[in-house]
Amino acid sequence: MDSNASTLILRPPLSIQNDIEKGPPDELTEPPVDLKGFFNGDKEAISLAASQIRAACSNHGFFQVINHGVDPIVIRAAHQQMDAFFDLPTSRKFAVKRKPGSVWGYSGAHADRYSSKLPWKETFSFGYSHDNSLELDVINYFKSVLGKDFEEAGLVYQKYCEAMRNLSLVILELLAISLGVDRSHYRKLFEDGDSIMRCNSYPPCREAGLTLGTGPHCDPNSLTILHQDQVGGLEIFANNKWQAIRPRPDAFVVNIGDTFMALCNGRYKSCLHRAVVNKEKVRRSLVYFVSPKEDKVLRPPEDLMGTEEARKYPDFKWSDLLEFTQNHYRADATTLQNFAYWLLSSKNTLN
Ligand SMILES: C=C1C[C@]23C[C@H]1CC[C@H]2[C@]1(C)CCC[C@@](C)(C(=O)O)[C@H]1[C@@H]3C(=O)O
Ligand SMILES: O=C(O)CCC(=O)C(=O)O
Ligand SMILES: [Fe+2]
């Protein structure tokens, strides 16, 4: 972020200001979900994991996973490449700036998109598709936008995204088990999905209590798998208060997003969360936004819906919700409700 940005004093709404200036909230103390049993087919361990997930997702939509099978060397390399990118001169980062309407590329405080409540962060985002379709090939993207000296970074993130996809399919299977539906249902729905990888960098801020790294929001996508550095700053809204998530290098953070909330007809909550900043240190996070193929019609599975149960959300496609957040609505805590209204009213005007 430009040096003059530190003189940028943001005045968040009073409630947030008092809230943050009071200092860090207490920590969420729920134990992580241990995936070891899943990989060795231990039925008891799987049902324990499913019941932990059911309780957490019915309450606030957040849990952490350990013994996830992701190579720590790949995780470390992804953090190192993220540091290398954000330590580039501003001119190099601006050269790969996000284009209007696209999530991909670099953004500084989203200053190109919004004129108030700017997040105190830089982001770099790109697409990932398992079938390595050319336009979503991570290595080509890095080489084409950042040049040959970032080919190594492209290789690292290709591997990291493959690991995230594998982990997401395990989590989706456990979510199905926890919901009592066919355990392969969500895995099949997502295995050909195209996801978004985002690197977040939150610079230190002299007035850390007057701003936010990312304001309160629910992720519009289906599932978010996040690995944070050891600085701390992620908070989720649970048990009627903001609760800090202590960083664990061996764990991934998992959030239920809006799209999965619709895919389970509201059984599980889309996690309300935010990122606060501090006065001393930059904080960085790797975020993988799991999404289904853009053109799939999304609705809850038949074996989830009670015979008399009303649908809470209309059928929709991820392409429509993504477009809504990029061109019509700044994602926040009530994106899905506003999207449903927008979708239905635009269909009515079309008929
Ligand atoms: C589909 C997306 C939009 C955002 C990136 C992904 C999933 C999370 C969304 C976001 C982070 C929610 C908070 C607001 C936002 C504008 C941001 O701070 O970056 C959102 C992302 C975006 O629209 O770029
Ligand atoms: O960096 C974090 O801890 C949270 C990031 C986040 O919520 C997001 O990018 O959607
Ligand atoms: Fe988020």
Side-chain angles (χ1 to χ4, degrees):
M1 177 138 348
D2 289 327
S3 54
N4 62 4
S6 56
T7 58
L8 182 70
I9 302 294
L10 300 162
R11 293 260 171 234
L14 211 52
S15 57
I16 292 183
Q17 190 170 330
N18 293 343
D19 167 28
I20 297 175
E21 286 192 321
K22 273 190 304 206
D26 58 357
E27 289 181 350
L28 188 77
T29 54
E30 292 172 8
V33 177
D34 189 333
L35 298 185
K36 193 168 55 261
F38 181 90
F39 293 113
N40 54 33
D42 175 340
K43 285 195 170 42
E44 219 171 282
I46 291 171
S47 87
L48 170 64
S51 57
Q52 274 181 279
I53 287 171
R54 184 168 43 248
C57 295
S58 310
N59 178 6
H60 44 63
F62 171 94
F63 56 96
Q64 296 196 80
V65 293
I66 55 172
N67 295 320
H68 40 65
V70 180
D71 183 345
I73 294 171
V74 170
I75 301 171
R76 192 177 323 117
H79 276 280
Q80 287 164 343
Q81 292 297 342
M82 173 162 59
D83 292 344
F85 174 80
F86 285 117
D87 292 346
L88 286 172
T90 302
S91 56
R92 281 290 306 270
K93 293 185 279 189
F94 271 34
V96 293
K97 236 178 5 178
R98 191 192 70 86
K99 295 190 173 41
S102 161
V103 184
W104 297 9
Y106 172 80
S107 171
H110 288 332
D112 56 318
R113 294 169 70 185
Y114 310 119
S115 52
S116 69
K117 293 200 290 180
L118 298 189
W120 196 268
K121 69 178 176 182
E122 300 176 83
T123 64
F124 181 59
S125 311
F126 48 91
Y128 171 73
S129 165
H130 175 62
D131 66 9
N132 265 338
S133 49
L134 208 56
E135 69 278 9
L136 281 179
D137 178 274
V138 176
I139 299 167
N140 286 333
Y141 178 70
F142 272 73
K143 270 197 308 194
S144 60
V145 300
L146 284 162
K148 208 129 172 48
D149 53 337
F150 272 83
E151 184 167 3
E152 165 68 14
L155 270 165
V156 166
Y157 284 116
Q158 182 77 25
K159 273 207 204 103
Y160 185 83
C161 290
E162 279 161 9
M164 287 302 102
R165 174 181 177 275
N166 294 336
L167 178 56
S168 72
L169 295 176
V170 168
I171 292 167
L172 286 160
E173 196 165 329
L174 279 169
L175 283 165
I177 295 169
S178 76
L179 286 162
V181 302
D182 174 329
R183 68 184 283 171
S184 65
H185 174 78
Y186 294 118
R187 172 187 275 271
K188 282 185 194 147
L189 182 65
F190 282 86
E191 56 195 6
D192 60 351
D194 299 339
S195 293
I196 301 166
M197 178 71 208
R198 171 168 284 189
C199 300
N200 287 315
S201 180
Y202 303 96
C205 175
R206 281 205 310 267
E207 299 283 355
L210 297 183
T211 186
L212 282 164
T214 300
H217 70 280
C218 299
D219 293 343
N221 53 293
S222 298
L223 208 53
T224 300
I225 304 177
L226 176 145
H227 193 272
Q228 56 175 328
D229 65 16
Q230 293 309 294
V231 173
L234 172 61
E235 297 179 0
I236 72 156
F237 197 77
N239 313 310
N240 272 327
K241 57 185 177 186
W242 287 105
Q243 297 199 258
I245 303 304
R246 173 193 288 254
R248 286 187 58 141
D250 62 337
F252 281 97
V253 159
V254 183
N255 291 351
I256 298 291
D258 290 341
T259 301
F260 194 86
M261 179 162 74
L263 282 170
C264 65
N265 205 39
R267 292 274 198 298
Y268 289 168
K269 293 220 175 90
S270 185
C271 176
L272 178 58
H273 56 289
R274 70 183 185 185
V276 298
V277 295
N278 68 80
K279 297 185 180 177
E280 288 82 33
K281 283 192 209 166
V282 64
R283 174 176 177 262
R284 294 197 169 135
S285 64
L286 296 159
V287 197
Y288 184 80
F289 297 114
V290 182
S291 310
K293 231 170 188 20
E294 292 200 355
D295 59 354
K296 279 190 178 173
V297 176
L298 303 174
R299 61 170 72 97
E302 304 262 313
D303 53 352
L304 178 84
M305 299 297 288
T307 41
E308 303 300 310
E309 185 175 351
R311 285 279 302 276
K312 291 203 167 112
Y313 308 98
D315 289 0
F316 65 93
K317 294 177 185 173
W318 169 238
S319 55
D320 294 329
L321 178 50
L322 181 59
E323 199 265 336
F324 181 66
T325 68
Q326 297 309 297
N327 297 319
H328 306 285
Y329 188 90
R330 178 174 184 168
D332 56 15
T334 56
T335 309
L336 191 58
Q337 295 85 323
N338 286 281
F339 168 66
Y341 179 76
W342 175 82
L343 191 70
L344 294 173
S345 47
S346 54
K347 277 187 181 149
N348 294 340
T349 44
L350 289 177
N351 298 338

